Amino acid sequence: VTCLEISNLRVPSSYSIARDDGDSKPLILGCDYEIDENDSKGFVLKWKHNDLQIYQWIPSRNPIVFSSFKGHIDVDYSESDDRFHKYSALKFINPKANYTGNYTCQVQTYQSVASRTAHLQMIVPETDFSLGYQRETNGSTVVFCNVGEIYPLPVVSLLIDNQKVTDAIATEQVQEYTGYYNVSAQYILPDQNKNMELECEVTIPGTDYTLHTSMPYEGAAFRANAATLQIFLCTAITVTLARMLTLF
């Protein structure tokens, strides 16, 4: 029977980085474990990011932060006064998008070793999310949904009357310096003269991050307006021709 066991690894599946400092929520990773006092000699706790050690704590000593995580983990953060749990958790300071990865908590003594790993996906929310449509010069109508400056690469889906459009054309662009994505989905309406409900959904695979927006498309009104405009133009042309004929 092992005397050292990790009962729970508190790593969220995803974390959204707030673009405004006032809206940010703390990112905290926790490691809950049971340790027998008789098996506590040589106790050390380590955190690893993708197998690279980033944190170490030995009771009676101050925590140590390694690599690029220096300055981004609060070494004074504590969740417990227990001497074997006091500095077991990680509280991040200004977390970065490249902190995505597998996080491993490892606890060990001279007699036992235990570890658990979980994946964390960092998310940078979009700066733009828009749904609309436009008339092309050839008379067709294109529905579009745009998502700007988001990370990681999302899935953008168009829906019409609650039915997913399977043949929408998606394009993506990666910003050179940030690695953020601009994604657009477009679809040419096969029948632009009927009313319909347009929707756009954005998801990030492996997370619960979603965006949704909708708008009505009044094709019947457009058809009526087009017919009215056609009658008006025909009437105007007829009147103009009649006036021109009276001049001769």
Side-chain angles (χ1 to χ4, degrees):
V1 179
T2 181
C3 298
L4 186 61
E5 181 180 359
I6 296 177
S7 57
N8 185 32
L9 186 63
R10 290 178 282 119
V11 176
S13 61
S14 63
Y15 175 82
S16 295
I17 300 174
R19 290 185 177 272
D20 298 323
D21 293 337
D23 297 333
S24 62
K25 296 180 180 179
L27 173 59
I28 299 174
L29 310 187
C31 187
D32 303 330
Y33 48 87
E34 303 293 334
I35 182 171
D36 191 324
E37 287 283 348
N38 297 323
D39 185 31
S40 61
K41 290 184 178 181
F43 177 85
V44 58
L45 176 141
K46 300 177 182 179
W47 278 95
K48 299 179 181 180
H49 175 244
N50 295 333
D51 296 326
L52 177 67
Q53 184 174 340
I54 61 172
Y55 181 88
Q56 177 175 292
W57 171 59
I58 299 174
S60 75
R61 298 184 184 180
N62 294 326
I64 301 174
V65 180
F66 301 97
S67 69
S68 61
F69 286 79
K70 283 185 177 180
H72 292 281
I73 293 178
D74 185 355
V75 294
D76 295 321
Y77 178 74
S78 173
E79 290 187 336
S80 171
D81 290 329
D82 183 87
R83 62 186 296 260
F84 291 110
H85 295 84
K86 187 171 184 178
Y87 295 113
S88 61
L90 299 185
K91 181 179 181 181
F92 288 80
I93 302 171
N94 298 324
K96 307 298 182 182
N98 61 0
Y99 287 0
T100 291
N102 294 323
Y103 285 84
T104 300
C105 174
Q106 177 181 303
V107 288
Q108 66 184 72
T109 65
Y110 291 146
Q111 303 296 326
S112 306
V113 178
S115 66
R116 287 184 67 173
T117 301
H119 184 77
L120 168 63
Q121 175 65 61
M122 304 298 290
I123 296 174
V124 179
E126 71 292 338
T127 58
D128 172 64
F129 178 43
S130 58
L131 171 67
Y133 59 87
Q134 61 186 21
R135 314 289 184 188
E136 299 296 311
T137 55
N138 61 6
S140 63
T141 299
V142 177
V143 178
F144 62 86
C145 181
N146 298 327
V147 185
E149 296 188 72
I150 190 172
Y151 178 87
L153 180 65
V155 175
V156 181
S157 302
L158 287 172
L159 297 89
I160 296 179
D161 292 334
N162 294 320
Q163 297 295 318
K164 185 176 180 179
V165 178
T166 58
D167 53 348
I169 299 176
T171 58
E172 62 186 62
Q173 179 187 32
V174 183
Q175 295 183 350
E176 182 177 355
Y177 296 104
T178 64
Y180 300 163
Y181 291 89
N182 297 320
V183 182
S184 177
Q186 298 185 354
Y187 178 67
I188 299 176
L189 292 178
D191 184 358
Q192 61 182 353
N193 295 322
K194 70 174 185 178
N195 295 340
M196 60 191 79
E197 184 73 6
L198 307 179
E199 298 177 77
C200 181
E201 290 183 350
V202 176
T203 59
I204 294 179
T207 75
D208 57 2
Y209 190 86
T210 60
L211 300 171
H212 179 271
T213 188
S214 62
M215 66 178 297
Y217 173 82
E218 299 180 352
F222 169 72
R223 180 178 56 189
N225 291 337
T228 301
L229 178 61
Q230 184 177 15
I231 293 173
F232 172 79
L233 291 175
C234 290
T235 303
I237 293 173
T238 302
V239 171
T240 301
L241 289 174
R243 289 178 177 176
M244 291 178 63
L245 290 174
T246 59
L247 298 176
F248 295 96

